[in-house]
Amino acid sequence: SVPPGVLPLCRQPPAWGRAARQCPSLLQPPDLQLAPRRAFSNNKILVELDESSGVATMKFKSPPVNSLSLEFLTEFCISLEKLENDRACRGVILTSAVPKIFSSGLDITEMCGKSTEHYAEFWRAVQETWLRLYSSNMVTVAVVNGSSPAGGCLLALSCDYRIMAENPKFSIGLNEAQLGIVAPFWFKDTFVNVVGHRIAERSLQLGSLHPAPEAREIGIVDELVPEEKLQEKAAAVMAQWLALPDHARQLTKSMMRKPVLDRLVAHREEDIQNFISFISKESIQKSLRRYMEMLKKKKG
């Protein structure tokens, strides 16, 4: 399904094939009947494809915070693959259907008190999600309509363009250091490619979460837009990118991103083993348990 000369997508683990067959299609919502749209959904993500523009919207709908669980990551890859294989689709907008949050990042419960087999399966799903999104042939636009720490930030960074709601209460960043964990090299590489080495180094060491105005200033996001105008702006940006011939844009994207992608592909199993070794340490498990307790108290 990938045109010659464009980055190949990594082979999909068998579990995703099984999950894909279980995903039910939804009938088109009544308010979308006027436009030539197709919608499909699973538990965590709603996808709407506007065939007239060739643009799909993937809305994260996994309350309370769109955490990146194994189920979410699996469904994300399935949805993205469906769009990649659909000739009617040339671009995709990622956004959230949950108020005030884009995505809170990796689901802590997937990394705490589980077996090494589970850690391996989970981390392979995290890798696959990034590999598919970062190498996508489609134009990818993130509409960050809420806070987006850690893995949520990575999803946005992996897109071609980032628009964030103009709200100083919303923040974004790779804040893993605050949790006592370390952002993997490919998170770091993606961040450096967007903001440059010095800003990335400082932000990663401090585990910084940048309020929207600061995120725009240092280049994590490309634009700030009032919340009510996010979709309008995303459509305008998408139209600008889609005005170019697909093959020229795709080959340029491949050329720019291939070294970073190749590095993970070459070290994928090693990266999984490093993750298992790190996350299994009692000191790390203790930090994660403490963080989960803190979250429970906040909810209480």
Side-chain angles (χ1 to χ4, degrees), residues 289-300:
R289 287 195 295 269
R290 189 162 56 240
Y291 185 73
M292 288 169 66
E293 285 298 320
M294 184 187 75
L295 291 178
K296 285 179 184 175
K297 287 178 182 176
K298 277 187 178 179
K299 288 176 185 176

Side-chain angles (χ1 to χ4, degrees), residues 187-226:
F187 281 50
K188 180 268 296 179
D189 289 345
T190 309
F191 199 25
V192 168
N193 283 354
V194 172
V195 301
H197 194 280
R198 175 60 188 137
I199 290 173
E201 180 182 4
R202 184 180 63 205
S203 185
L204 286 168
Q205 286 198 52
L206 295 174
S208 302
L209 283 175
H210 305 277
E214 185 180 301
R216 170 64 188 90
E217 185 179 332
I218 65 177
I220 296 179
V221 296
D222 297 297
E223 288 190 67
L224 297 184
V225 177

Side-chain angles (χ1 to χ4, degrees), residues 26 39-42 44-48 57-59 61:
L26 292 186
F40 62 89
S41 182
N42 43 39
K44 306 291 186 183
I45 296 173
L46 171 66
V47 180
E48 298 168 351
T57 302
M58 287 176 62
K59 293 181 181 177
K61 58 180 188 76

Side-chain angles (χ1 to χ4, degrees), residues 139-214:
V139 174
T140 53
V141 174
V143 173
V144 185
N145 54 342
S147 289
S148 192
C153 178
L154 180 72
L155 290 180
L157 289 172
S158 301
C159 290
D160 298 316
Y161 200 83
R162 285 159 293 284
I163 304 163
M164 190 169 184
E166 196 173 33
N167 187 331
K169 292 182 180 179
F170 296 160
S171 60
I172 186 170
L174 295 177
N175 65 321
E176 281 81 356
Q178 289 189 28
L179 281 65
I181 57 180
V182 179
F185 71 85
W186 40 285
F187 281 50
K188 180 268 296 179
D189 289 345
T190 309
F191 199 25
V192 168
N193 283 354
V194 172
V195 301
H197 194 280
R198 175 60 188 137
I199 290 173
E201 180 182 4
R202 184 180 63 205
S203 185
L204 286 168
Q205 286 198 52
L206 295 174
S208 302
L209 283 175
H210 305 277
E214 185 180 301

Side-chain angles (χ1 to χ4, degrees), residues 68-71 73 107-126 272 275-276 279-280 285:
L68 306 181
S69 63
L70 181 58
E71 184 183 4
L73 295 166
D107 190 333
I108 302 293
T109 63
E110 301 280 11
M111 301 185 284
C112 197
K114 299 291 197 299
S115 67
T116 55
E117 291 79 13
H118 181 86
Y119 294 148
E121 183 183 11
F122 175 66
W123 199 245
R124 185 169 274 108
V126 177
I272 291 171
F275 172 75
I276 293 170
I279 211 71
S280 299
Q285 288 291 305

